[in-house]
Amino acid sequence: MSDHNAADEAAHWLAEAWTTGNPLAALPPRLAPRDAEAAEDIAAALLTALGQPPVGLRIATGLVGPLLSGRLIASGTPIALAGLRHPIVTAAVAGILSAPLDEAATSPPVFATLHAALDIAATRYGERPADPNQSLADLAGLGMVVLGPAVMATPAETAIALAEGRKRPAGATQDLVALFATAAAEARARGGLPAGAMLLVAGLSAPVTPIAGLRLSCVAGALGRARADFA
């Protein structure tokens, strides 16, 4: 079987899991991506199979994958855990590009708005795969992204925390300039992004496994907070 056919078949099984919600066993050796490039080929074929064009790029726990508009929700929207398999929540920050990220450019990204965010990673596999390439093929474990209100700001060092309930912990200082520069480089390596696209940097806190009744917030200084109530 050619690499192209294997990617299409793997994407077919993943697309079925995405659309039905049924768990998928780990891809067998003949279909499993052997490296990150093969995993991204499967992810690209999966996007085609789902008919969902990406609206940005997500960088989370060492994985890089697309963002889908249907997976972006506003702060305060209740989240049903039944729709997420093996969810893991981390603090995140999103930026909406005001200018394109051209492939050949090296300048820092320019944002129209920044948002405190929560990244809720999930998987379509019955068990979270040990091989990161299998997760990468599954759109890098994209679950849901909770977006706080838009703030007109530029990236800077910001104290960011993942808080339970109404707590406002001090958080750890994150260099958003460096984080978004890395995200922009990843986007340019994949051909760039247009104005209006989103860059999301996640994994900015220790991960938390949500349970029903839990409220989690990303508290991000001047960027405010993004909140999710899990049910």
Side-chain angles (χ1 to χ4, degrees), residues 3 13 32 42 50 53-54 59 65-66 84 125 133-135 164 170 187 208 224 231:
D3 288 349
W13 290 113
I42 295 172
L50 294 174
I59 290 84
L84 296 165
Y125 301 106
N133 289 323
Q134 295 237 11
S135 293
E164 294 189 18
V208 171

Side-chain angles (χ1 to χ4, degrees), residues 11-74:
H12 166 79
W13 290 113
L14 280 163
E16 183 175 298
W18 270 83
T19 55
T20 66
N22 295 330
L24 179 69
L27 295 171
R30 70 184 184 85
L31 298 179
R34 63 186 180 279
D35 53 28
E37 182 177 358
E40 291 195 2
D41 287 343
I42 295 172
L46 174 56
L47 289 175
T48 299
L50 294 174
Q52 297 189 37
V55 297
L57 197 70
R58 168 178 170 265
I59 290 84
T61 60
L63 298 177
V64 179
L67 285 164
L68 303 180
S69 61
R71 294 280 162 162
L72 307 178
I73 59 175

